[in-house]
Amino acid sequence: MSREDLPPGPGSQGPADPAGRRRIVALDVLRGFTLCEILLANIQLIAGGGTAVVVRPLGEWDPWLGLPIFSLLFGVGFSLLLDSASRRVDRPRVVLLRRLVALLAIGLVHMALWPGEVLTEYAVAGLLVLLPSSWSPRWAAAGLAVVFVPVALVAGGGPLLIAGLFLVGSALVRYGVVERIEGSTWVPLGLGLVFAAGAAGAAAALGARAGAGPSFASGLADLLIAGAVVCALLVLLRTPLRPVLRVVFAPLGRMALTNYLTATLVVLAAAHLLGLPIVGSPRTAFLTAGAILAAQWLFSALWLRRFRQGPLEWLWRWATWARRPAIA
């Protein structure tokens, strides 16, 4: 959920991050878009303490995009931070260790409010898989990803899938893909069409076994749709819609940790203090999610006019580098 951005380049036209590098706008947009999807998918579960029956907007099979995209982005952010730390300190992996331990602490506190939160799993998977993989050659990390993801799909997802997607994101940085993420239209367009075709095939397989539980096909379809969505956004960022996408999603993405955690507090307050029927009424749930996201967007946009990063991002950065960073 965080990143250290690359030096200035043709695709990096965002504002400078706290370390003086240029932000990769595409990562902020992807992160902001995914944050919206996660709240829409989880709001009834959060309000019901994880016990609610969720009404999925697209029916019985409705792909969850948040987990795969955020997991991929987390792996990207990890390796970008490793690159940055390697240039700045003698023991860069100590920096990463502190970051993951701090994330674990944040996740454990958040878990008391929302048992289904994912930060603890991210921290544990990072400590057990992502951090050790940073000592291995990039081909080895990519090879582990190729093993982890299919095995996880067969097993029904879970932490192994998160770890595999972490490694995919890390490999994209180590092979230089992220550095060129905004430099091409045809590559994401072609990949997106391949992902969409694969998802259609997986969906057809699911239709043939209607009523069955989660399967390899459903998990694969989710991943392929997530890949197609990522590619579609990358293509749109190469069109005149880029300023619109940047305005709408980048503020949310730059303060993803702050917005992810505060959304839980607001949902619980709306359900238990205001008495909104979020669990029993999908319409109320989606309207509430929209109102929360609109308020978070406004807060994020105003906050970032004055400060370089969100309040919780600033605290997390403090824990990461073990010294107080500038916030303004």
Side-chain angles (χ1 to χ4, degrees):
M1 290 171 58
S2 83
R3 94 295 292 147
E4 287 288 329
D5 292 315
L6 297 174
S12 302
Q13 301 300 323
D17 75 356
R21 288 165 296 275
R22 306 301 295 179
R23 302 186 69 88
I24 301 177
V25 172
L27 298 182
D28 288 330
V29 170
L30 287 170
R31 191 170 287 105
F33 171 85
T34 310
L35 189 76
C36 296
E37 199 280 337
I38 284 176
L39 181 58
L40 289 168
N42 286 340
I43 185 169
Q44 290 179 288
L45 290 171
I46 295 171
T51 60
V53 177
V54 176
V55 177
R56 307 180 83 171
L58 299 183
E60 183 177 345
W61 180 68
D62 185 10
W64 300 124
L65 303 180
L67 178 68
I69 299 178
F70 249 170
S71 299
L72 185 75
L73 291 173
F74 191 92
V76 168
F78 180 92
S79 284
L80 290 177
L81 177 57
L82 177 60
D83 288 347
S84 176
S86 297
R87 295 191 296 267
R88 298 174 60 186
V89 298
D90 294 331
R91 303 175 65 189
R93 288 171 182 82
V94 174
V95 173
L96 295 168
L97 176 62
R98 286 197 298 260
R99 190 166 186 83
L100 292 170
V101 171
L103 184 65
L104 179 60
I106 294 170
L108 290 173
V109 173
H110 189 219
M111 187 181 291
L113 299 173
W114 162 224
E117 74 90 37
V118 76
L119 298 182
T120 50
E121 289 188 50
Y122 274 29
V124 172
L127 289 168
L128 295 181
V129 176
L130 203 49
L131 184 59
S133 75
S134 67
W135 277 282
S136 66
R138 62 183 185 177
W139 61 263
L144 276 179
V146 171
V147 173
F148 279 13
V149 172
V151 171
L153 291 177
V154 171
L160 189 61
L161 180 59
I162 291 174
L165 292 170
F166 280 2
L167 291 171
V168 172
S170 177
L172 291 176
V173 174
R174 297 175 73 176
Y175 278 96
V177 175
V178 170
E179 186 176 4
R180 300 186 297 273
I181 195 172
E182 293 187 327
S184 172
T185 301
W186 294 108
V187 171
L189 179 60
L191 283 176
L193 291 174
V194 171
F195 290 148
L206 285 172
R209 54 191 300 275
S215 64
F216 177 88
S218 64
L220 178 61
D222 283 356
L223 287 186
L224 291 172
I225 291 174
V229 168
V230 169
C231 290
L233 286 171
L234 292 177
V235 171
L236 290 174
L237 283 169
R238 299 278 293 174
T239 72
L241 287 176
R242 177 185 176 89
V244 177
L245 293 172
R246 181 174 177 179
V247 167
V248 172
F249 293 117
L252 293 169
R254 288 180 62 187
M255 290 176 49
L257 181 64
T258 295
N259 290 325
Y260 175 72
L261 295 175
T262 55
T264 298
L265 294 173
V266 177
V267 170
L268 292 175
H272 300 292
L273 297 181
L274 300 180
L276 296 183
I278 294 174
V279 174
S281 170
R283 182 173 181 272
T284 301
F286 299 138
L287 288 175
T288 303
I292 292 171
L293 290 170
Q296 289 186 328
W297 176 87
L298 181 60
F299 174 75
S300 298
L302 293 175
W303 180 276
L304 291 170
R305 286 185 179 183
R306 182 171 181 182
F307 303 107
R308 299 180 183 182
Q309 55 194 154
L312 294 182
E313 285 76 12
W314 177 73
L315 290 173
W316 194 19
R317 185 177 181 85
W318 190 346
T320 297
W321 295 97
R323 58 178 179 269
R324 182 178 178 178
I327 189 171

